[in-house]
Amino acid sequence: MNNTKHKLPNNIITTSLQWVKKFLHLWSIQTLTNLPERLKNIWQQLLSSYWFIPTACVLVGILLAPILVTIDQQFDRETVKEISFAFTGDDQAARAIMTVIAGAVLGVAGTTFSITIAVLSMASSQFGPRLLRNFLTDTPNQFVLGAFIGTFSYSLLVLKSIHKYDVEFGVPQLAVTFAIIMAIVCALLLVYFVQHMVHAIQASHVIKDASDDAIENINYWYSDNCDIQYQRDLAHEDVTQFSDWPATTIYAPSSGYLQQIYTESLITLAQDYGGVLQLHTSLGHFVTDKNVMGYFYQRPTDHAGNLQKTQTANLAIMPRTPDGLFWQRFATGIHLERRPVHSNDIAYSLGQMTEIAVRALSPGINDPKTAVNCVQSLTACLSLMMRRQPPNSYHFYTPPHNVDSPEDIVDQSRVAILSVITKTPRISDFIDVSLGEIRRYATTDLMVLKALCQAMTDLNYARVNSAQRQTLLHELSLIERAGEENLSYNELVVDLKAMCHQARQFIHNDDANHQHFEYVSAFSTHIYQALQTQSS
């Protein structure tokens, strides 16, 4: 009986230590591997919330109030009176001023909040719900609201510290003076807020912000230079042979949109279990907990990656079957959200401009000029992507060298080890979900169809291979077919077909990069010839 009593606490302690060890192992290897990227995502989530900056301003006001009151206690009253703009009234005047300031800024804060809600309602109906984030994360709006409620919090705390005049302390004159200054600043901020909101709701401004967001994500994924080392690693035999290894199906840990892939964490996971992890789901796609996201290919026991000798001690780990810890670490190696949110997903950023264009083409709005502006902004983003090196799909692990290892360990050259394969959308996919989506809604609008045709010629300046040329020609044929089947008048169809014909000839021209494309209609040519005849 005594042994049983002693074994029970020991078993509990042993089990607890094992769970703590697993948690620390999971945290240290999986989470800290991508710590900078995870901290960046947390910071972006904080900035994307509407409460972060206003809350910070409230905390600043709460901290400033006792600090300035304490400084007032140490200040000489005669010195304060020498400051021309400083408050030098009695406690009743100070109390009245602080009461007016607190009530005024709180009322103005309610007004700005009401204006913001009205703008959000208008933006949701005209531009689409995806664009609400751009208004909520607008730093000037958050700072203006934060300045109002921060001044309100500061005024309340200073008002609380104003007592009957006494010889030892008196009225906190510096604190009241600062409140007056902040009231003037809030009045100026109100004027700035109204001017800023007038510009923020303009379609051109919204499109520019969405375009800047897309370009930022493109710069994150697409490189200006070709990765020579990556091209060398692609020659590794595992790139073509891994699909023949024993595979374990990887299911999504939960339902949601794939928002982030922590590549370094997955590389560490693949190396610990001796295999290659392949994901068939790209960023932004929705998965359920029954969806197959990819496969884990277990490296053969006699594979060269497990048997090589290096200066890194205990590096080569024998392949092992995925267990419970594997699935836990995989779940923390990706980030799923139940709703699509802003991330580094390029398709999401391009989708914002596409949604603006589609809504502009709806019968309720009927603003084709805005749709043309979206087409032009999308063309600029796609052109930037076509000229750059696409993100790498194959991710390799390069073992580090341990300089403290004994000299008798054989130092052999070791190539990078294939660890993770991610799915990278192609340029044709981005063109289809952006310009292609607009084409499907603009089948009866000649202005937008001609803008799409012009976009194909503009993208032709940025193409770097024949595959991109075929993509442009395919999209151009779809534009021509859409107009041919849906435009109301035969003259409009003829005009569009003539432009598509000239654009097709331009794209086929190998020297097109050094030529200027400008569509000249038959009517314009006729008028020009008539004018030339009259002048002669």
Side-chain angles (χ1 to χ4, degrees):
M1 180 66 69
N2 293 335
N3 293 336
T4 304
K5 291 181 179 180
H6 288 295
K7 286 182 179 179
L8 183 60
N10 292 335
N11 293 336
I12 296 176
I13 294 175
T14 303
T15 305
S16 301
L17 290 176
Q18 290 177 353
W19 278 104
V20 170
K21 184 178 180 180
K22 289 182 179 180
F23 175 78
L24 294 177
H25 179 73
L26 180 64
W27 175 264
S28 61
I29 293 181
Q30 180 66 17
T31 306
L32 297 183
T33 304
N34 289 97
L35 184 59
E37 191 173 358
R38 293 174 187 271
L39 292 177
K40 180 182 177 181
N41 291 337
I42 294 175
W43 178 250
Q44 289 179 346
Q45 292 177 4
L46 288 176
L47 292 180
S48 63
S49 60
Y50 193 65
W51 57 267
F52 179 69
I53 293 181
T55 302
C57 293
V58 171
L59 295 178
V60 170
I62 294 175
L63 293 176
L64 275 179
I67 292 175
L68 291 180
V69 171
T70 304
I71 294 176
D72 259 312
Q73 296 176 357
Q74 309 300 327
F75 239 80
D76 184 16
R77 297 294 152 190
E78 299 300 326
T79 304
V80 176
K81 292 180 180 180
E82 295 177 359
I83 304 176
S84 58
F85 60 88
F87 173 80
T88 56
D90 57 6
D91 60 321
Q92 293 183 357
R95 191 176 293 107
I97 290 176
M98 298 306 297
T99 302
V100 170
I101 292 176
V105 295
L106 183 62
V108 175
T111 302
T112 58
F113 186 76
S114 300
I115 294 175
T116 303
I117 294 299
V119 170
L120 291 178
S121 177
M122 186 276 297
S124 177
S125 60
Q126 183 172 353
F127 302 121
R130 291 192 184 193
L131 275 299
L132 291 182
R133 173 195 167 274
N134 296 347
F135 291 92
L136 290 175
T137 59
D138 190 15
T139 303
N141 291 346
Q142 297 180 3
F143 179 76
V144 169
L145 180 61
F148 290 152
I149 60 178
T151 302
F152 170 75
S153 304
Y154 171 83
S155 301
L156 283 184
L157 294 179
V158 174
L159 181 63
K160 179 178 177 295
S161 65
I162 298 176
H163 305 287
K164 284 289 185 179
Y165 183 85
D166 57 74
V167 179
E168 295 183 357
F169 174 48
V171 178
Q173 296 174 338
L174 289 180
V176 176
T177 302
F178 183 77
I180 296 174
I181 295 174
M182 285 304 302
I184 297 174
V185 172
C186 288
L188 297 176
L189 287 177
L190 178 61
V191 177
Y192 167 77
F193 173 78
V194 175
Q195 184 266 347
H196 178 73
M197 294 304 294
V198 169
H199 288 282
I201 61 177
Q202 295 178 4
S204 58
H205 190 275
V206 176
I207 295 172
K208 178 183 177 300
D209 288 343
S211 177
D212 292 341
D213 183 60
I215 292 176
E216 182 180 354
N217 287 336
I218 292 172
N219 293 332
Y220 176 83
W221 288 107
Y222 283 73
S223 174
D224 290 327
N225 304 316
C226 180
D227 191 350
I228 302 300
Q229 184 59 45
Y230 174 73
Q231 299 298 328
R232 294 173 180 173
D233 292 339
L234 285 180
H236 198 280
E237 60 181 8
D238 286 352
V239 174
T240 57
Q241 297 181 1
F242 75 90
S243 58
D244 297 330
W245 300 345
T248 301
T249 305
I250 297 178
Y251 296 97
S254 60
S255 300
Y257 295 89
L258 182 61
Q259 298 296 322
Q260 192 70 36
I261 299 175
Y262 299 107
T263 308
E264 294 297 328
S265 298
L266 296 182
I267 289 176
T268 304
L269 174 62
Q271 283 306 301
D272 288 348
Y273 283 82
V276 175
L277 197 154
Q278 183 181 26
L279 292 179
H280 293 285
T281 305
S282 57
L283 288 179
H285 284 198
F286 180 81
V287 295
T288 66
D289 54 358
K290 298 299 182 182
N291 279 29
V292 176
M293 293 191 64
Y295 299 92
F296 177 73
Y297 296 93
Q298 192 171 359
R299 192 177 293 115
T301 306
D302 57 349
H303 190 271
N306 301 321
L307 303 178
Q308 294 180 74
K309 296 180 180 180
T310 66
Q311 290 184 345
T312 306
N314 301 323
L315 177 64
I317 298 178
M318 298 303 294
R320 50 191 175 127
T321 304
D323 52 12
L325 183 60
F326 176 91
W327 303 116
Q328 294 178 18
R329 293 176 58 180
F330 174 77
T332 57
I334 60 176
H335 179 61
L336 295 173
E337 286 281 353
R338 297 303 298 270
R339 59 185 179 87
V341 297
H342 178 266
S343 63
N344 294 325
D345 184 15
I346 298 177
Y348 182 88
S349 301
L350 298 179
Q352 293 182 344
M353 290 179 280
T354 303
E355 186 169 358
I356 296 175
V358 170
R359 286 182 174 267
L361 294 172
S362 63
I365 299 177
N366 193 20
D367 184 11
K369 187 60 179 177
T370 297
V372 171
N373 293 339
C374 291
V375 170
Q376 294 167 346
S377 297
L378 286 169
T379 303
C381 296
L382 294 170
S383 175
L384 183 63
M385 296 169 61
M386 293 174 67
R387 297 193 305 267
R388 292 191 175 185
Q389 180 73 16
N392 302 332
S393 298
Y394 297 91
H395 305 274
F396 297 86
Y397 172 75
T398 304
H401 292 284
N402 187 359
V403 297
D404 297 330
S405 299
E407 297 181 357
D408 56 349
I409 295 182
V410 180
D411 182 15
Q412 299 178 355
S413 61
R414 182 172 187 172
V415 297
I417 302 174
L418 179 63
S419 299
V420 175
I421 305 172
T422 55
K423 183 179 180 181
T424 303
R426 298 168 296 180
I427 292 295
S428 58
D429 299 328
F430 289 118
I431 292 178
D432 181 65
V433 299
S434 56
L435 298 179
E437 193 70 21
I438 297 176
R439 166 180 47 80
R440 286 184 275 271
Y441 283 89
T443 54
T444 60
D445 196 303
L446 179 63
M447 179 189 295
V448 181
L449 290 176
K450 294 178 72 173
L452 291 171
C453 184
Q454 180 67 42
M456 296 302 106
T457 60
D458 293 338
L459 291 177
N460 186 65
Y461 288 106
R463 66 172 177 84
V464 295
N465 53 51
S466 59
Q468 294 178 354
R469 170 188 284 176
Q470 294 302 320
T471 299
L472 299 180
L473 291 174
H474 175 69
E475 184 64 26
L476 189 63
S477 64
L478 293 177
I479 295 171
E480 183 178 4
R481 181 179 176 183
E484 187 177 1
E485 295 180 355
N486 296 278
L487 289 176
S488 304
Y489 303 101
N490 184 58
E491 290 80 1
L492 302 181
V493 175
V494 172
D495 188 22
L496 179 63
K497 293 181 67 175
M499 184 175 183
C500 290
H501 177 70
Q502 294 182 19
R504 188 175 293 106
Q505 289 181 332
F506 179 77
I507 295 175
H508 276 295
N509 189 354
D510 294 331
D511 196 39
N513 291 340
H514 303 91
Q515 297 179 5
H516 173 69
F517 175 82
E518 182 178 3
Y519 168 61
V520 180
S521 64
F523 179 76
S524 299
T525 303
H526 175 72
I527 296 297
Y528 177 77
Q529 292 176 352
L531 292 175
Q532 289 293 103
T533 303
Q534 292 178 1
S535 62
S536 60

